[in-house]
């Protein structure tokens, strides 16, 4: 039998080399091309780190909307030399690779389906060897840090490391807010199998067990402690820029969301543009209601006790698709969880169906980017109908894919992965049990 190329050393060396090559390429493009490789957000991060290194507030850097922890972590970028300026990109890339290793551990574990190492490495490579993932991190986006926190959280819960899970949940919510949607799924997953009493009392007793109470207390204590420390250091600026801004933001640039056009109109009004006729009621102001209703309530109750990784993927996909601001960096939030779902998915069982779904998802983005290029580089107003139609098509494709994911996770049971090599593995599956 010929030796397999899918070994731990081969895959992780390839993943590391991919990121090294892209980091070096990025330096060359930044030096010689008018179109820079480094993401504008990276300059925001490093400017904030420079303020922090001088004992000042990171929020003195306009548009810094993140926890001060990120600026503290990037203080080495203020040291002299190109290598140190690239420290953040290297850190984010390392986080990518660590997240990939955690994916392999989950898939090889009993809780993750006891997948053979070679197969686990192939699925983890969807993340590790994905040029999109590597590009976003090496350009200086911090989403890789969040990815390793979320995958680490999942690994900890599946391995009964509840204290670690609580620490990671509290840290990740402090870091980026949205991971709070996973809390209901984690509690439902950890709920006791049965409890005596009436239906309502029994349900509450199932939820209130030592594991769920420890998770709640540790995560809440971590979140509160971090926020108290940051508030003590930076006051109201911390709350405004880290949390409140994201409720009221009207960012319409690079935004795939169908709310994009409404946000553009709102930003025009905020700028005092007189020729914009706006409705008195702003639909985008209540966008969070269907978003959180689906991602934080309905999907956890429907899916968490079927397959926790699949439930978290569905939650994340719904949260991103329904968010009023949707940029390409946000795709990493669900791409990190995708390898844990694909082994038992319809997309894999029916390859032509899966490729068609991928083509549709990519085509909708290409259409939006074509319209966005005309707007931002050629100065043509393409908000209506171009960007509006492109945003609606991307939304429709995302929601259709979400429907397939929800159906697959809802049909999951413990024997699914073992039979996933068969095209018929999704047919006539019995109900899952915990």
């Amino acid at each position: 039998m010929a030796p397999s190329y899918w070994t731990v050393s081969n895959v992780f060396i390839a993943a590391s080399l991919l990121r090294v090559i892209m980091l070096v390429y990025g330096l060359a493009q930044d030096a010689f091309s008018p179109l820079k490789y480094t993401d504008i957000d990276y300059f925001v991060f490093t400017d904030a780190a420079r303020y922090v290194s001088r004992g000042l507030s990171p929020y003195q850097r306009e548009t810094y909307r993140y926890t001060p922890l990120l600026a503290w972590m990037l203080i080495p970028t203020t040291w002299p030399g190109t290598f140190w300026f690239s420290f953040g990109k290297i850190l984010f890339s390392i986080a990518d690779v660590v997240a990939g290793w955690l994916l392999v551990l989950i898939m090889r574990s009993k809780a993750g389906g006891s997948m053979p190492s070679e197969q686990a490495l192939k699925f983890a490579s969807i993340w590790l060897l994905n040029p999109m993932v590597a590009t976003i991190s090496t350009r200086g986006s911090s989403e890789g840090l969040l990815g390793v926190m979320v995958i680490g959280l999942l690994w900890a819960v599946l391995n009964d490391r509840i204290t670690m899970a609580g620490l990671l949940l509290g840290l990740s919510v402090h870091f980026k807010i949205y991971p709070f949607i996973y809390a209901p799924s984690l509690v439902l997953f950890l709920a006791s199998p049965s409890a005596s009493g009436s239906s309502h009392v029994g349900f509450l007793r199932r939820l209130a067990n030592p594991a769920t109470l420890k998770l709640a207390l540790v995560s809440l204590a971590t979140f509160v402690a971090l926020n108290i420390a940051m508030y003590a250091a930076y006051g109201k600026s911390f709350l405004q820029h880290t949390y409140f801004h994201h409720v009221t933001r009207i960012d319409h640039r690079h935004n795939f969301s169908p709310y994009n056009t409404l946000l553009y109109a709102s930003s025009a009004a905020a700028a005092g543009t007189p020729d914009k006729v706006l409705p008195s009621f702003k639909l985008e102001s209540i966008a969070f209601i269907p978003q959180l209703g689906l991602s934080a309530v309905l999907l956890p109750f429907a899916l968490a006790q079927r397959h926790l990784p699949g439930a978290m993927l569905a939650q994340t996909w719904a949260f991103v698709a329904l968010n009023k601001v949707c940029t390409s960096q946000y795709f990493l939030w669900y791409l990190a969880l995708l390898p844990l779902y694909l082994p038992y998915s319809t997309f894999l069982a029916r390859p032509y169906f899966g490729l068609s779904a991928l083509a549709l998802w990519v085509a909708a983005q290409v259409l939006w980017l074509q319209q966005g290029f005309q707007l931002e580089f050629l100065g043509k107003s393409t908000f209506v109908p171009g960007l509006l139609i492109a945003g609606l098509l991307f939304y429709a494709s995302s929601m259709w894919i979400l429907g397939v994911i929800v159906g697959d996770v809802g049909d999951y049971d413990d024997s699914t992965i073992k039979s996933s090599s068969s095209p018929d593995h999704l047919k006539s599956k019995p109900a899952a049990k915990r």
Side-chain angles (χ1 to χ4, degrees):
M1 179 181 295
S4 173
Y5 291 103
W6 296 97
T7 64
V8 171
S9 58
N10 285 350
V11 169
F12 282 88
I13 288 173
S16 301
L17 282 176
L18 173 63
R19 284 156 178 80
V20 169
I21 290 169
M22 299 193 78
L23 282 167
V24 173
Y25 169 79
L27 292 174
Q29 182 172 326
D30 284 345
F32 300 108
S33 173
L35 182 63
K36 303 304 180 184
Y37 182 82
T38 300
D39 195 307
I40 186 65
D41 284 347
Y42 191 69
F43 293 105
V44 175
F45 300 159
T46 55
D47 287 348
R50 189 170 296 107
Y51 281 115
V52 167
S53 70
R54 297 170 181 170
L56 303 173
S57 169
Y59 303 109
Q60 290 188 237
R61 197 332 177 159
E62 188 178 358
T63 74
Y64 184 78
R65 316 292 189 188
Y66 312 89
T67 171
L69 285 181
L70 180 59
W72 293 359
M73 293 169 68
L74 297 184
I75 284 178
T77 63
T78 66
W79 301 344
T82 301
F83 172 82
W84 288 115
F85 181 75
S86 301
F87 173 82
K89 299 178 184 180
I90 298 170
L91 178 65
F92 304 152
S93 298
I94 291 173
D96 278 352
V97 176
V98 174
W101 176 242
L102 290 171
L103 287 170
V104 173
L105 293 181
I106 291 172
M107 287 185 277
R108 289 185 352 192
S109 69
K110 183 177 180 180
S114 301
M115 189 179 293
S117 181
E118 181 176 338
Q119 190 177 5
L121 286 165
K122 288 179 180 179
F123 283 109
S125 294
I126 295 169
W127 171 264
L128 286 167
L129 303 181
N130 190 323
M132 179 181 178
V133 174
T135 298
I136 288 175
S137 290
T138 55
R139 291 187 67 216
S141 172
S142 64
E143 305 306 329
L145 291 176
L146 195 65
V148 77
M149 291 179 201
V150 170
I151 302 302
L153 166 64
L154 178 59
W155 177 86
V157 170
L158 293 176
N159 287 276
D160 294 323
R161 309 288 182 88
I162 305 303
T163 300
M164 180 184 295
L167 291 169
L168 287 170
L169 180 59
L171 174 61
S172 61
V173 175
H174 170 79
F175 205 87
K176 202 73 173 184
I177 306 178
Y178 94 87
F180 83 89
I181 65 174
Y182 302 134
S185 284
L186 299 178
V187 170
L188 289 165
F189 177 80
L190 294 170
S192 303
S194 62
S196 59
S198 65
S199 59
H200 296 298
V201 174
F203 176 70
L204 292 176
R205 286 178 176 174
R206 287 182 58 208
L207 296 184
N209 62 42
T212 58
L213 292 175
K214 180 186 286 188
L215 178 71
L217 290 173
V218 174
S219 60
L220 182 61
T222 302
F223 179 73
V224 170
L226 287 170
N227 285 335
I228 289 175
M230 297 302 107
Y231 182 81
Y234 302 110
K236 293 181 180 179
S237 294
F238 157 68
L239 296 177
Q240 174 60 37
H241 294 288
T242 304
Y243 298 119
F244 301 152
H245 163 78
H246 298 283
V247 178
T248 59
R249 66 185 295 191
I250 51 176
D251 184 0
H252 62 85
R253 292 183 179 275
H254 320 294
N255 183 3
F256 290 92
S257 169
Y259 292 105
N260 180 48
T261 303
L262 294 173
L263 294 175
Y264 166 69
S266 296
S267 67
T273 305
D275 58 344
K276 304 296 179 185
V277 179
L278 299 173
S280 58
F281 176 73
K282 296 181 179 180
L283 181 63
E284 70 273 14
S285 65
I286 60 169
F288 69 92
I289 296 177
Q291 179 190 33
L292 296 185
L294 183 59
S295 64
V297 180
L298 296 180
L299 290 176
F301 276 93
L303 305 177
Q305 293 185 319
R306 290 283 185 172
H307 187 242
L308 180 60
M312 291 173 63
L313 170 66
Q315 289 179 267
T316 313
W317 198 288
F319 186 91
V320 173
L322 292 169
N323 201 32
K324 66 180 180 180
V325 176
C326 176
T327 67
S328 58
Q329 287 94 328
Y330 294 3
F331 301 158
L332 266 63
W333 298 356
Y334 52 68
L335 284 178
L337 294 160
L338 192 62
L340 303 173
Y341 153 77
L342 281 179
Y344 66 90
S345 69
T346 299
F347 300 116
L348 188 65
R350 297 163 56 191
Y352 288 111
F353 179 80
L355 290 173
S356 298
L358 176 62
L360 179 63
W361 184 72
V362 172
Q365 292 178 62
V366 170
L367 176 60
W368 192 99
L369 291 169
Q370 186 269 338
Q371 294 294 311
F373 176 82
Q374 292 192 53
L375 172 69
E376 296 195 15
F377 288 89
L378 303 182
K380 297 180 180 179
S381 179
T382 57
F383 280 102
V384 180
L387 283 175
L388 177 60
I389 292 175
L392 289 171
L393 288 174
F394 182 72
Y395 170 78
S397 67
S398 295
M399 295 305 290
W400 172 66
I401 293 172
L402 175 62
V404 177
I405 294 172
V406 170
D408 288 347
V409 180
D411 286 342
Y412 176 86
D413 77 335
D414 291 338
S415 65
T416 303
I417 287 188
K418 295 177 183 178
S419 61
S420 62
S421 59
S422 167
D424 300 322
H425 78 276
L426 291 175
K427 297 179 181 179
S428 303
K429 292 184 292 186
K433 295 179 181 180
R434 263 188 50 79

